[in-house]
Amino acid sequence: MKIFVLKKSSILFYTLLFIAAFTVIFTRWDSSTTVFNNNSDLGGLPIYCVDKGEEKICAISFDAAWGNEDTSQLIKILNDFEVKTTFFVVGSWVDKFPESVKELSDAGHEIMNHSNSHPHMTKISTDTMKTEVEDCDKKIEAITGVKPFLFRPPYGDYNTDVVNTLADCAHYTIQWSVDSLDWKDLSAQEIYSRVCGNIHPGAIVLFHNAAKNTPEALPMILKKLKEDGYKIVPVSQLIYRDEYKIDHTGKQIPK
């Protein structure tokens, strides 16, 4: 039987090697510090809202996938109230209405990714997901000069693979905590009641471009939020970029 005797120098070397390996593994495992390391807390949840304590701040967002009849009207309303928002646009919408994308960008609103063709992301392969994101990114960047880094899944449909794949594409996956349901053609008063009745610090509000009664409801909502002391910002200015975790409700919490 052979007996191996380790010198003190060898013991020190292997100890340091073990510590270095453990550090690398731990760093990769603690991926909740940034979404670009594939946020693994609670299975890779998207961001629904943000923990802002008692600070009255929220983000308003619009999904643009189909029509375009009210884009200029929305821009005017937002400008009248000096509010900047986030428009999540589909690549095919960019193809149809590049002038509206430029108009939105020129007005100071951020243009982010809503996929290229509006598929259910959970029903396509990882490679196809990446193609959907990359193709839409390129179309937006070609017009605005800015590459998107936020993504909203079409239909709000996601799973862990979607969130992690988007992280691999350097995108934060964004949902919402206040749904206007404007796409259901609710009345302006109903939209107003839903949004203003459910608003909270750190909320992300969902509207849709080309929704029937949103242009009528929006001024009432913005007026009320401002009267109540809310600061309204684009989504990118609401979320934390790193050093965060996500709880079971999808709330982003700073570490």
Side-chain angles (χ1 to χ4, degrees), residues 35-81:
V35 73
F36 303 147
N37 283 338
N38 290 347
N39 176 27
S40 62
D41 281 6
L42 297 169
L45 288 173
I47 300 168
Y48 281 81
C49 62
V50 181
D51 183 0
K52 291 293 182 178
E54 297 302 315
E55 181 185 3
K56 285 192 169 183
I57 183 171
C58 65
I60 285 179
S61 63
F62 293 83
D63 287 359
W66 316 120
N68 187 45
E69 53 270 25
D70 64 356
T71 303
S72 294
Q73 187 178 4
L74 293 174
I75 290 173
K76 183 182 185 306
I77 293 168
L78 293 166
N79 184 62
D80 288 344
F81 284 88

mmCIF file of all heavy atoms in Angstrom, residues 35-81:
data_model
loop_
_atom_site.group_PDB
_atom_site.id
_atom_site.type_symbol
_atom_site.label_atom_id
_atom_site.label_comp_id
_atom_site.label_asym_id
_atom_site.label_seq_id
_atom_site.Cartn_x
_atom_site.Cartn_y
_atom_site.Cartn_z
ATOM 1 N N VAL A 35 -30.068 39.996 -13.051
ATOM 2 C CA VAL A 35 -30.829 39.152 -13.963
ATOM 3 C C VAL A 35 -29.942 38.578 -15.054
ATOM 4 O O VAL A 35 -30.220 37.525 -15.597
ATOM 5 C CB VAL A 35 -32.002 39.947 -14.587
ATOM 6 C CG1 VAL A 35 -31.518 40.944 -15.606
ATOM 7 C CG2 VAL A 35 -33.022 39.017 -15.202
ATOM 8 N N PHE A 36 -28.833 39.236 -15.386
ATOM 9 C CA PHE A 36 -27.981 38.742 -16.442
ATOM 10 C C PHE A 36 -27.213 37.502 -16.026
ATOM 11 O O PHE A 36 -26.541 36.885 -16.820
ATOM 12 C CB PHE A 36 -27.036 39.847 -16.930
ATOM 13 C CG PHE A 36 -27.766 41.069 -17.412
ATOM 14 C CD1 PHE A 36 -27.235 42.325 -17.258
ATOM 15 C CD2 PHE A 36 -29.012 40.948 -18.002
ATOM 16 C CE1 PHE A 36 -27.915 43.445 -17.708
ATOM 17 C CE2 PHE A 36 -29.704 42.061 -18.455
ATOM 18 C CZ PHE A 36 -29.161 43.306 -18.304
ATOM 19 N N ASN A 37 -27.281 37.107 -14.754
ATOM 20 C CA ASN A 37 -26.742 35.822 -14.316
ATOM 21 C C ASN A 37 -27.849 34.792 -14.156
ATOM 22 O O ASN A 37 -27.706 33.808 -13.458
ATOM 23 C CB ASN A 37 -26.014 35.969 -12.976
ATOM 24 C CG ASN A 37 -24.650 36.586 -13.143
ATOM 25 O OD1 ASN A 37 -24.087 36.528 -14.220
ATOM 26 N ND2 ASN A 37 -24.131 37.189 -12.089
ATOM 27 N N ASN A 38 -29.019 35.075 -14.794
ATOM 28 C CA ASN A 38 -30.169 34.182 -14.715
ATOM 29 C C ASN A 38 -30.733 34.127 -13.294
ATOM 30 O O ASN A 38 -30.487 33.189 -12.548
ATOM 31 C CB ASN A 38 -29.840 32.764 -15.182
ATOM 32 C CG ASN A 38 -29.616 32.695 -16.664
ATOM 33 O OD1 ASN A 38 -29.929 33.626 -17.388
ATOM 34 N ND2 ASN A 38 -29.072 31.590 -17.119
ATOM 35 N N ASN A 39 -31.496 35.144 -12.935
ATOM 36 C CA ASN A 39 -32.087 35.243 -11.604
ATOM 37 C C ASN A 39 -32.786 33.948 -11.231
ATOM 38 O O ASN A 39 -33.771 33.559 -11.831
ATOM 39 C CB ASN A 39 -33.088 36.407 -11.584
ATOM 40 C CG ASN A 39 -33.803 36.517 -10.269
ATOM 41 O OD1 ASN A 39 -33.261 36.098 -9.245
ATOM 42 N ND2 ASN A 39 -34.992 37.053 -10.274
ATOM 43 N N SER A 40 -32.275 33.251 -10.232
ATOM 44 C CA SER A 40 -32.793 31.930 -9.889
ATOM 45 C C SER A 40 -33.702 31.942 -8.667
ATOM 46 O O SER A 40 -34.272 30.917 -8.335
ATOM 47 C CB SER A 40 -31.628 30.965 -9.632
ATOM 48 O OG SER A 40 -30.858 31.407 -8.536
ATOM 49 N N ASP A 41 -33.822 33.081 -7.982
ATOM 50 C CA ASP A 41 -34.706 33.122 -6.818
ATOM 51 C C ASP A 41 -36.128 32.760 -7.238
ATOM 52 O O ASP A 41 -36.693 33.343 -8.150
ATOM 53 C CB ASP A 41 -34.710 34.526 -6.197
ATOM 54 C CG ASP A 41 -33.486 34.775 -5.342
ATOM 55 O OD1 ASP A 41 -32.599 33.907 -5.345
ATOM 56 O OD2 ASP A 41 -33.421 35.820 -4.683
ATOM 57 N N LEU A 42 -36.704 31.754 -6.569
ATOM 58 C CA LEU A 42 -38.077 31.333 -6.843
ATOM 59 C C LEU A 42 -38.283 30.935 -8.302
ATOM 60 O O LEU A 42 -39.317 31.197 -8.895
ATOM 61 C CB LEU A 42 -39.058 32.443 -6.439
ATOM 62 C CG LEU A 42 -39.048 32.759 -4.943
ATOM 63 C CD1 LEU A 42 -39.821 34.028 -4.667
ATOM 64 C CD2 LEU A 42 -39.645 31.613 -4.144
ATOM 65 N N GLY A 43 -37.290 30.319 -8.886
ATOM 66 C CA GLY A 43 -37.462 29.736 -10.210
ATOM 67 C C GLY A 43 -37.397 30.714 -11.359
ATOM 68 O O GLY A 43 -37.848 30.408 -12.451
ATOM 69 N N GLY A 44 -36.845 31.886 -11.175
ATOM 70 C CA GLY A 44 -36.692 32.815 -12.284
ATOM 71 C C GLY A 44 -37.959 33.568 -12.612
ATOM 72 O O GLY A 44 -38.496 33.464 -13.711
ATOM 73 N N LEU A 45 -38.458 34.332 -11.673
ATOM 74 C CA LEU A 45 -39.674 35.108 -11.902
ATOM 75 C C LEU A 45 -39.365 36.415 -12.629
ATOM 76 O O LEU A 45 -38.292 36.989 -12.467
ATOM 77 C CB LEU A 45 -40.348 35.442 -10.567
ATOM 78 C CG LEU A 45 -41.026 34.293 -9.834
ATOM 79 C CD1 LEU A 45 -41.498 34.753 -8.462
ATOM 80 C CD2 LEU A 45 -42.207 33.765 -10.639
ATOM 81 N N PRO A 46 -40.324 36.908 -13.424
ATOM 82 C CA PRO A 46 -40.177 38.240 -14.003
ATOM 83 C C PRO A 46 -40.473 39.309 -12.951
ATOM 84 O O PRO A 46 -40.898 38.997 -11.831
ATOM 85 C CB PRO A 46 -41.237 38.256 -15.108
ATOM 86 C CG PRO A 46 -42.282 37.311 -14.626
ATOM 87 C CD PRO A 46 -41.558 36.242 -13.855
ATOM 88 N N ILE A 47 -40.272 40.555 -13.317
ATOM 89 C CA ILE A 47 -40.530 41.674 -12.407
ATOM 90 C C ILE A 47 -41.959 42.169 -12.621
ATOM 91 O O ILE A 47 -42.310 42.636 -13.700
ATOM 92 C CB ILE A 47 -39.531 42.820 -12.653
ATOM 93 C CG1 ILE A 47 -38.098 42.331 -12.422
ATOM 94 C CG2 ILE A 47 -39.847 44.022 -11.764
ATOM 95 C CD1 ILE A 47 -37.037 43.306 -12.924
ATOM 96 N N TYR A 48 -42.778 42.083 -11.580
ATOM 97 C CA TYR A 48 -44.151 42.579 -11.631
ATOM 98 C C TYR A 48 -44.269 43.988 -11.046
ATOM 99 O O TYR A 48 -45.088 44.785 -11.491
ATOM 100 C CB TYR A 48 -45.081 41.651 -10.857
ATOM 101 C CG TYR A 48 -45.477 40.404 -11.610
ATOM 102 C CD1 TYR A 48 -44.642 39.298 -11.680
ATOM 103 C CD2 TYR A 48 -46.710 40.326 -12.242
ATOM 104 C CE1 TYR A 48 -45.008 38.150 -12.360
ATOM 105 C CE2 TYR A 48 -47.101 39.183 -12.923
ATOM 106 C CZ TYR A 48 -46.243 38.091 -12.984
ATOM 107 O OH TYR A 48 -46.614 36.973 -13.670
ATOM 108 N N CYS A 49 -43.490 44.256 -10.019
ATOM 109 C CA CYS A 49 -43.487 45.563 -9.371
ATOM 110 C C CYS A 49 -42.179 45.686 -8.603
ATOM 111 O O CYS A 49 -41.377 44.753 -8.580
ATOM 112 C CB CYS A 49 -44.696 45.739 -8.455
ATOM 113 S SG CYS A 49 -44.771 44.563 -7.081
ATOM 114 N N VAL A 50 -41.973 46.837 -7.974
ATOM 115 C CA VAL A 50 -40.699 47.115 -7.326
ATOM 116 C C VAL A 50 -40.945 47.639 -5.916
ATOM 117 O O VAL A 50 -41.833 48.472 -5.695
ATOM 118 C CB VAL A 50 -39.891 48.155 -8.138
ATOM 119 C CG1 VAL A 50 -38.547 48.423 -7.489
ATOM 120 C CG2 VAL A 50 -39.704 47.676 -9.579
ATOM 121 N N ASP A 51 -40.162 47.139 -4.967
ATOM 122 C CA ASP A 51 -40.263 47.616 -3.588
ATOM 123 C C ASP A 51 -39.635 49.002 -3.485
ATOM 124 O O ASP A 51 -38.416 49.144 -3.558
ATOM 125 C CB ASP A 51 -39.556 46.631 -2.653
ATOM 126 C CG ASP A 51 -39.679 47.026 -1.184
ATOM 127 O OD1 ASP A 51 -40.319 48.058 -0.898
ATOM 128 O OD2 ASP A 51 -39.138 46.303 -0.329
ATOM 129 N N LYS A 52 -40.475 50.010 -3.322
ATOM 130 C CA LYS A 52 -40.002 51.386 -3.181
ATOM 131 C C LYS A 52 -40.369 51.963 -1.815
ATOM 132 O O LYS A 52 -40.321 53.181 -1.631
ATOM 133 C CB LYS A 52 -40.601 52.258 -4.286
ATOM 134 C CG LYS A 52 -40.067 51.950 -5.676
ATOM 135 C CD LYS A 52 -38.599 52.306 -5.792
ATOM 136 C CE LYS A 52 -38.048 52.055 -7.194
ATOM 137 N NZ LYS A 52 -36.630 52.437 -7.312
ATOM 138 N N GLY A 53 -40.715 51.080 -0.878
ATOM 139 C CA GLY A 53 -41.092 51.559 0.440
ATOM 140 C C GLY A 53 -42.328 52.424 0.349
ATOM 141 O O GLY A 53 -43.328 52.052 -0.270
ATOM 142 N N GLU A 54 -42.275 53.599 0.955
ATOM 143 C CA GLU A 54 -43.404 54.519 0.928
ATOM 144 C C GLU A 54 -43.270 55.571 -0.175
ATOM 145 O O GLU A 54 -44.120 56.467 -0.292
ATOM 146 C CB GLU A 54 -43.538 55.221 2.290
ATOM 147 C CG GLU A 54 -43.836 54.267 3.443
ATOM 148 C CD GLU A 54 -45.117 53.478 3.225
ATOM 149 O OE1 GLU A 54 -46.131 54.093 2.809
ATOM 150 O OE2 GLU A 54 -45.101 52.249 3.433
ATOM 151 N N GLU A 55 -42.192 55.484 -0.965
ATOM 152 C CA GLU A 55 -41.989 56.473 -2.022
ATOM 153 C C GLU A 55 -43.066 56.322 -3.092
ATOM 154 O O GLU A 55 -43.258 55.251 -3.672
ATOM 155 C CB GLU A 55 -40.614 56.304 -2.657
ATOM 156 C CG GLU A 55 -40.323 57.311 -3.753
ATOM 157 C CD GLU A 55 -39.012 57.066 -4.474
ATOM 158 O OE1 GLU A 55 -38.347 56.042 -4.148
ATOM 159 O OE2 GLU A 55 -38.659 57.878 -5.333
ATOM 160 N N LYS A 56 -43.770 57.386 -3.382
ATOM 161 C CA LYS A 56 -44.840 57.353 -4.371
ATOM 162 C C LYS A 56 -44.254 57.520 -5.774
ATOM 163 O O LYS A 56 -44.130 58.622 -6.299
ATOM 164 C CB LYS A 56 -45.878 58.440 -4.074
ATOM 165 C CG LYS A 56 -46.782 58.108 -2.897
ATOM 166 C CD LYS A 56 -47.968 59.051 -2.817
ATOM 167 C CE LYS A 56 -48.989 58.553 -1.816
ATOM 168 N NZ LYS A 56 -50.189 59.428 -1.767
ATOM 169 N N ILE A 57 -43.898 56.405 -6.338
ATOM 170 C CA ILE A 57 -43.332 56.375 -7.676
ATOM 171 C C ILE A 57 -43.876 55.149 -8.392
ATOM 172 O O ILE A 57 -44.069 54.096 -7.784
ATOM 173 C CB ILE A 57 -41.781 56.348 -7.621
ATOM 174 C CG1 ILE A 57 -41.185 56.400 -9.028
ATOM 175 C CG2 ILE A 57 -41.269 55.141 -6.856
ATOM 176 C CD1 ILE A 57 -39.675 56.598 -9.044
ATOM 177 N N CYS A 58 -44.194 55.281 -9.665
ATOM 178 C CA CYS A 58 -44.720 54.158 -10.441
ATOM 179 C C CYS A 58 -44.298 54.333 -11.893
ATOM 180 O O CYS A 58 -43.785 55.382 -12.288
ATOM 181 C CB CYS A 58 -46.241 54.075 -10.331
ATOM 182 S SG CYS A 58 -47.121 55.478 -11.063
ATOM 183 N N ALA A 59 -44.499 53.286 -12.681
ATOM 184 C CA ALA A 59 -44.185 53.326 -14.106
ATOM 185 C C ALA A 59 -45.433 52.992 -14.903
ATOM 186 O O ALA A 59 -46.223 52.130 -14.515
ATOM 187 C CB ALA A 59 -43.069 52.346 -14.438
ATOM 188 N N ILE A 60 -45.605 53.696 -16.002
ATOM 189 C CA ILE A 60 -46.697 53.414 -16.934
ATOM 190 C C ILE A 60 -46.100 52.806 -18.194
ATOM 191 O O ILE A 60 -45.086 53.280 -18.707
ATOM 192 C CB ILE A 60 -47.493 54.696 -17.247
ATOM 193 C CG1 ILE A 60 -48.390 55.052 -16.060
ATOM 194 C CG2 ILE A 60 -48.326 54.531 -18.509
ATOM 195 C CD1 ILE A 60 -49.201 56.310 -16.267
ATOM 196 N N SER A 61 -46.748 51.747 -18.687
ATOM 197 C CA SER A 61 -46.240 51.087 -19.892
ATOM 198 C C SER A 61 -47.382 50.815 -20.860
ATOM 199 O O SER A 61 -48.542 50.660 -20.462
ATOM 200 C CB SER A 61 -45.547 49.770 -19.524
ATOM 201 O OG SER A 61 -46.461 48.868 -18.935
ATOM 202 N N PHE A 62 -47.032 50.770 -22.140
ATOM 203 C CA PHE A 62 -47.980 50.455 -23.211
ATOM 204 C C PHE A 62 -47.431 49.299 -24.029
ATOM 205 O O PHE A 62 -46.245 49.275 -24.355
ATOM 206 C CB PHE A 62 -48.170 51.658 -24.138
ATOM 207 C CG PHE A 62 -48.855 52.843 -23.514
ATOM 208 C CD1 PHE A 62 -48.136 53.749 -22.757
ATOM 209 C CD2 PHE A 62 -50.218 53.039 -23.683
ATOM 210 C CE1 PHE A 62 -48.763 54.849 -22.173
ATOM 211 C CE2 PHE A 62 -50.854 54.135 -23.115
ATOM 212 C CZ PHE A 62 -50.131 55.040 -22.359
ATOM 213 N N ASP A 63 -48.292 48.365 -24.385
ATOM 214 C CA ASP A 63 -47.929 47.315 -25.332
ATOM 215 C C ASP A 63 -48.462 47.707 -26.705
ATOM 216 O O ASP A 63 -49.649 48.053 -26.840
ATOM 217 C CB ASP A 63 -48.518 45.969 -24.921
ATOM 218 C CG ASP A 63 -47.810 45.366 -23.730
ATOM 219 O OD1 ASP A 63 -46.852 45.976 -23.224
ATOM 220 O OD2 ASP A 63 -48.228 44.274 -23.277
ATOM 221 N N ALA A 64 -47.608 47.664 -27.706
ATOM 222 C CA ALA A 64 -48.002 48.019 -29.066
ATOM 223 C C ALA A 64 -47.762 46.824 -29.983
ATOM 224 O O ALA A 64 -46.617 46.470 -30.266
ATOM 225 C CB ALA A 64 -47.220 49.233 -29.557
ATOM 226 N N ALA A 65 -48.858 46.206 -30.410
ATOM 227 C CA ALA A 65 -48.728 45.016 -31.244
ATOM 228 C C ALA A 65 -49.589 45.074 -32.502
ATOM 229 O O ALA A 65 -49.261 44.434 -33.501
ATOM 230 C CB ALA A 65 -49.104 43.768 -30.441
ATOM 231 N N TRP A 66 -50.683 45.831 -32.472
ATOM 232 C CA TRP A 66 -51.621 45.782 -33.588
ATOM 233 C C TRP A 66 -51.827 47.159 -34.216
ATOM 234 O O TRP A 66 -51.113 47.562 -35.095
ATOM 235 C CB TRP A 66 -52.950 45.169 -33.123
ATOM 236 C CG TRP A 66 -52.769 43.960 -32.270
ATOM 237 C CD1 TRP A 66 -53.184 43.787 -30.982
ATOM 238 C CD2 TRP A 66 -52.095 42.741 -32.622
ATOM 239 N NE1 TRP A 66 -52.812 42.548 -30.509
ATOM 240 C CE2 TRP A 66 -52.152 41.886 -31.491
ATOM 241 C CE3 TRP A 66 -51.456 42.302 -33.776
ATOM 242 C CZ2 TRP A 66 -51.591 40.615 -31.497
ATOM 243 C CZ3 TRP A 66 -50.898 41.028 -33.781
ATOM 244 C CH2 TRP A 66 -50.964 40.204 -32.661
ATOM 245 N N GLY A 67 -52.832 47.899 -33.760
ATOM 246 C CA GLY A 67 -53.175 49.164 -34.397
ATOM 247 C C GLY A 67 -52.232 50.304 -34.061
ATOM 248 O O GLY A 67 -51.305 50.168 -33.265
ATOM 249 N N ASN A 68 -52.534 51.458 -34.687
ATOM 250 C CA ASN A 68 -51.657 52.609 -34.530
ATOM 251 C C ASN A 68 -52.429 53.926 -34.564
ATOM 252 O O ASN A 68 -51.849 55.001 -34.611
ATOM 253 C CB ASN A 68 -50.614 52.614 -35.654
ATOM 254 C CG ASN A 68 -49.561 53.671 -35.467
ATOM 255 O OD1 ASN A 68 -49.035 53.833 -34.371
ATOM 256 N ND2 ASN A 68 -49.251 54.402 -36.522
ATOM 257 N N GLU A 69 -53.741 53.840 -34.499
ATOM 258 C CA GLU A 69 -54.554 55.022 -34.738
ATOM 259 C C GLU A 69 -54.442 56.093 -33.655
ATOM 260 O O GLU A 69 -54.754 57.264 -33.906
ATOM 261 C CB GLU A 69 -56.031 54.639 -34.929
ATOM 262 C CG GLU A 69 -56.623 53.773 -33.826
ATOM 263 C CD GLU A 69 -56.467 52.289 -34.090
ATOM 264 O OE1 GLU A 69 -55.525 51.922 -34.832
ATOM 265 O OE2 GLU A 69 -57.266 51.517 -33.543
ATOM 266 N N ASP A 70 -53.987 55.735 -32.466
ATOM 267 C CA ASP A 70 -53.977 56.724 -31.389
ATOM 268 C C ASP A 70 -52.576 57.078 -30.885
ATOM 269 O O ASP A 70 -52.434 57.770 -29.882
ATOM 270 C CB ASP A 70 -54.833 56.239 -30.211
ATOM 271 C CG ASP A 70 -54.273 54.972 -29.565
ATOM 272 O OD1 ASP A 70 -53.263 54.434 -30.072
ATOM 273 O OD2 ASP A 70 -54.832 54.519 -28.561
ATOM 274 N N THR A 71 -51.527 56.625 -31.566
ATOM 275 C CA THR A 71 -50.161 56.849 -31.061
ATOM 276 C C THR A 71 -49.859 58.330 -30.893
ATOM 277 O O THR A 71 -49.382 58.766 -29.835
ATOM 278 C CB THR A 71 -49.123 56.209 -31.992
ATOM 279 O OG1 THR A 71 -49.401 54.814 -32.125
ATOM 280 C CG2 THR A 71 -47.719 56.390 -31.430
ATOM 281 N N SER A 72 -50.135 59.120 -31.906
ATOM 282 C CA SER A 72 -49.859 60.564 -31.821
ATOM 283 C C SER A 72 -50.681 61.215 -30.719
ATOM 284 O O SER A 72 -50.196 62.120 -30.023
ATOM 285 C CB SER A 72 -50.144 61.234 -33.162
ATOM 286 O OG SER A 72 -49.236 60.782 -34.149
ATOM 287 N N GLN A 73 -51.910 60.752 -30.538
ATOM 288 C CA GLN A 73 -52.770 61.297 -29.484
ATOM 289 C C GLN A 73 -52.212 60.972 -28.102
ATOM 290 O O GLN A 73 -52.192 61.815 -27.205
ATOM 291 C CB GLN A 73 -54.184 60.749 -29.634
ATOM 292 C CG GLN A 73 -55.208 61.375 -28.686
ATOM 293 C CD GLN A 73 -56.608 60.827 -28.899
ATOM 294 O OE1 GLN A 73 -56.811 59.908 -29.712
ATOM 295 N NE2 GLN A 73 -57.574 61.376 -28.177
ATOM 296 N N LEU A 74 -51.730 59.744 -27.935
ATOM 297 C CA LEU A 74 -51.128 59.348 -26.659
ATOM 298 C C LEU A 74 -49.878 60.173 -26.369
ATOM 299 O O LEU A 74 -49.660 60.607 -25.233
ATOM 300 C CB LEU A 74 -50.782 57.854 -26.672
ATOM 301 C CG LEU A 74 -51.953 56.871 -26.724
ATOM 302 C CD1 LEU A 74 -51.445 55.441 -26.871
ATOM 303 C CD2 LEU A 74 -52.833 56.994 -25.479
ATOM 304 N N ILE A 75 -49.078 60.390 -27.394
ATOM 305 C CA ILE A 75 -47.864 61.199 -27.215
ATOM 306 C C ILE A 75 -48.230 62.605 -26.749
ATOM 307 O O ILE A 75 -47.596 63.161 -25.841
ATOM 308 C CB ILE A 75 -47.059 61.251 -28.525
ATOM 309 C CG1 ILE A 75 -46.450 59.877 -28.822
ATOM 310 C CG2 ILE A 75 -45.963 62.314 -28.446
ATOM 311 C CD1 ILE A 75 -45.784 59.779 -30.177
ATOM 312 N N LYS A 76 -49.256 63.189 -27.347
ATOM 313 C CA LYS A 76 -49.675 64.536 -26.957
ATOM 314 C C LYS A 76 -50.153 64.578 -25.514
ATOM 315 O O LYS A 76 -49.799 65.482 -24.742
ATOM 316 C CB LYS A 76 -50.766 65.050 -27.890
ATOM 317 C CG LYS A 76 -51.201 66.484 -27.567
ATOM 318 C CD LYS A 76 -52.312 66.965 -28.463
ATOM 319 C CE LYS A 76 -52.617 68.437 -28.178
ATOM 320 N NZ LYS A 76 -52.901 68.706 -26.748
ATOM 321 N N ILE A 77 -50.963 63.588 -25.122
ATOM 322 C CA ILE A 77 -51.484 63.551 -23.745
ATOM 323 C C ILE A 77 -50.332 63.433 -22.750
ATOM 324 O O ILE A 77 -50.266 64.160 -21.755
ATOM 325 C CB ILE A 77 -52.468 62.380 -23.575
ATOM 326 C CG1 ILE A 77 -53.729 62.607 -24.410
ATOM 327 C CG2 ILE A 77 -52.833 62.184 -22.097
ATOM 328 C CD1 ILE A 77 -54.618 61.383 -24.527
ATOM 329 N N LEU A 78 -49.423 62.520 -23.028
ATOM 330 C CA LEU A 78 -48.281 62.311 -22.135
ATOM 331 C C LEU A 78 -47.423 63.569 -22.066
ATOM 332 O O LEU A 78 -46.926 63.937 -21.000
ATOM 333 C CB LEU A 78 -47.458 61.110 -22.606
ATOM 334 C CG LEU A 78 -48.165 59.755 -22.489
ATOM 335 C CD1 LEU A 78 -47.415 58.676 -23.285
ATOM 336 C CD2 LEU A 78 -48.309 59.332 -21.042
ATOM 337 N N ASN A 79 -47.245 64.213 -23.196
ATOM 338 C CA ASN A 79 -46.465 65.455 -23.228
ATOM 339 C C ASN A 79 -47.151 66.557 -22.421
ATOM 340 O O ASN A 79 -46.502 67.325 -21.708
ATOM 341 C CB ASN A 79 -46.262 65.905 -24.669
ATOM 342 C CG ASN A 79 -45.380 67.140 -24.765
ATOM 343 O OD1 ASN A 79 -44.217 67.109 -24.378
ATOM 344 N ND2 ASN A 79 -45.928 68.238 -25.264
ATOM 345 N N ASP A 80 -48.475 66.646 -22.530
ATOM 346 C CA ASP A 80 -49.227 67.660 -21.783
ATOM 347 C C ASP A 80 -49.015 67.512 -20.278
ATOM 348 O O ASP A 80 -49.007 68.508 -19.548
ATOM 349 C CB ASP A 80 -50.715 67.570 -22.111
ATOM 350 C CG ASP A 80 -51.044 68.062 -23.514
ATOM 351 O OD1 ASP A 80 -50.192 68.740 -24.116
ATOM 352 O OD2 ASP A 80 -52.154 67.754 -24.012
ATOM 353 N N PHE A 81 -48.859 66.269 -19.827
ATOM 354 C CA PHE A 81 -48.671 66.016 -18.397
ATOM 355 C C PHE A 81 -47.201 65.848 -18.026
ATOM 356 O O PHE A 81 -46.881 65.512 -16.884
ATOM 357 C CB PHE A 81 -49.466 64.773 -17.979
ATOM 358 C CG PHE A 81 -50.940 65.016 -17.847
ATOM 359 C CD1 PHE A 81 -51.794 64.892 -18.933
ATOM 360 C CD2 PHE A 81 -51.490 65.401 -16.624
ATOM 361 C CE1 PHE A 81 -53.154 65.122 -18.826
ATOM 362 C CE2 PHE A 81 -52.851 65.635 -16.493
ATOM 363 C CZ PHE A 81 -53.682 65.504 -17.599
#
